[in-house]
Amino acid sequence: MSGALQTVHSVSEMRRVREAATATRRTIGFVPTMGYLHEGHLSLVDVARRHVDLVALSIYVNPAQFGAGEDLDAYPRDLERDLELAAGRGVDLAFVPSDGDVYPEPQTIWVEPPEDVGRRLCGERRPAHFRGVLTVVAKLFGMVQPDVAVFGRKDYQQAVLIRRMVRELDMPVRIELAPIVREAGGLAMSSRNAYLTAEQRPAALGLSGALRAVREAFERGERSAEVLRQRARGLMEEAGVRVDYAEVVEANDLSPVVEAQPASVCAVAGYVGTTRLIDNALLAGSSSLDDSGA
Ligand code: AMP
């Protein structure tokens, strides 16, 4: 595993690799993904690299986190390109399990998200989503046994839930979060952006545009969460987004706030055509909206 990318297809092979790493006292950093890699995913590889000896990246489209009528079958996939990108970024190990590897028998034990964080925002709209995410992440942690795992702030609610799962279930893995990587215009990178037509791209900018406006309004002194969320909603609608939600929430439990604070998070979701996009930003301070110059 020195330099070249090793591709691992089965759980048993993954275990052998983990044992070899342990025997040679090398730490493993883990980046779970659903593939169709972009710069957002690859930035997580860079973060992992700072903390560990070996970086493992998984590519697995997890059926359990898709609801009926969602885009499981359409989800973009290109394994060959993903492996090239991973190798180019210095990933040591690509873990590409099949459905049969991850779910060799019907799953009867699930990690249920908590009633508070789990039922808000995306949890309210996609009822089985986070139970599917937490369960597969717990399983992948069991397979890879990473020392560190890296998740993006792009999926902010997911990151909050994973941190809580690791804490409450005493999982021996450290979670690192990475900033949102955006395209030049501000659109948060996402595999689902591949669904957008050229005509739909301006509308998709409505999400990051709304977040930027909310941050500016907060900076000018607006503290009413209701005013801020209505502003976000209005701007998204104007851009042509069918708004799913636009909320200003507390950063740790995602409860709605009345008076916005610098550490509050504005979280938005909406449809452009049939594509569901999400985005979020802290109201003040360091934010990837700033990082990208958007
Ligand atoms: P996904 O393949 O969409 O399930 O994402 C895999 C990981 O990449 C998750 O931790 C995401 O939060 C992270 N990620 C996806 N898009 C971005 C982005 N634009 N910036 C930073 N992290 C991202």
Side-chain angles (χ1 to χ4, degrees):
M1 256 195 298
S2 52
L5 175 73
Q6 181 182 1
T7 304
V8 169
H9 286 280
S10 70
V11 176
S12 52
E13 196 185 347
M14 183 64 236
R15 289 212 188 289
R16 283 197 297 277
V17 171
R18 170 72 260 191
E19 278 162 22
T22 305
T24 51
R25 295 177 173 275
R26 285 179 296 176
T27 52
I28 293 189
F30 181 38
V31 177
T33 82
M34 297 209 297
Y36 213 69
L37 300 182
H38 51 68
E39 188 55 34
H41 297 118
L42 298 173
S43 74
L44 308 188
V45 170
D46 298 344
V47 171
R49 173 64 63 203
R50 294 206 293 269
H51 297 280
V52 295
D53 302 313
L54 299 171
V55 176
L57 176 139
S58 64
I59 297 172
Y60 178 62
V61 181
N62 172 37
Q65 70 191 66
F66 288 78
E70 291 187 354
D71 58 341
L72 173 62
D73 293 335
Y75 199 83
R77 298 163 213 244
D78 189 342
L79 183 59
E80 206 176 312
R81 178 173 159 274
D82 284 350
L83 295 178
E84 270 172 31
L85 287 170
R89 203 57 162 243
V91 170
D92 298 288
L93 195 99
F95 179 39
V96 191
S98 66
D99 285 339
D101 281 306
V102 179
Y103 299 104
E105 54 195 284
Q107 190 74 20
T108 58
I109 303 235
W110 296 88
V111 181
E112 289 292 343
E115 288 295 323
D116 56 353
V117 182
R119 298 276 167 259
R120 297 184 175 130
L121 306 176
C122 289
E124 195 184 333
R125 279 87 182 168
R126 306 182 69 193
H129 174 65
F130 287 122
R131 126 203 248 256
V133 169
L134 293 181
T135 302
V136 83
V137 169
K139 287 166 73 76
L140 290 167
F141 282 178
M143 296 168 190
V144 177
Q145 298 173 46
D147 299 277
V148 174
V150 187
F151 293 85
R153 287 186 188 273
K154 158 82 189 340
D155 300 275
Y156 187 75
Q157 186 170 16
Q158 167 176 292
V160 168
L161 285 166
I162 287 168
R163 280 211 146 141
R164 204 193 281 191
M165 171 179 79
V166 164
R167 211 166 56 234
E168 291 192 15
L169 293 181
D170 304 291
M171 294 178 168
V173 52
R174 199 170 87 231
I175 303 298
E176 294 287 337
L177 301 188
I180 303 175
V181 177
R182 298 175 181 282
E183 293 181 2
L187 177 63
M189 289 194 183
S190 164
S191 305
R192 289 193 167 98
N193 292 350
Y195 297 142
L196 299 171
T197 64
E199 295 74 38
Q200 288 175 330
R201 286 197 154 251
L205 290 174
L207 282 84
S208 55
L211 294 175
R212 202 180 310 123
V214 162
R215 277 172 58 90
E216 282 163 13
F218 182 83
E219 209 171 289
R220 286 195 306 271
E222 181 58 65
R223 292 294 178 271
S224 160
E226 182 57 22
V227 169
L228 294 173
R229 60 188 286 276
Q230 289 302 348
R231 176 124 178 83
R233 177 174 282 273
L235 286 167
M236 285 162 68
E237 281 169 356
E238 255 172 52
V241 179
R242 183 159 61 82
V243 178
D244 194 354
Y245 62 74
E247 303 287 346
V248 178
V249 298
E250 200 275 328
N252 294 309
D253 68 8
L254 308 186
S255 59
V257 298
V258 175
E259 190 182 345
Q261 310 287 328
S264 306
V265 171
C266 185
V268 296
Y271 289 88
V272 175
T274 54
T275 304
R276 186 173 185 276
L277 301 172
I278 60 171
D279 201 347
N280 70 87
L282 275 175
L283 289 192
S286 157
S287 154
S288 49
L289 277 173
D290 291 337
D291 297 347
S292 69

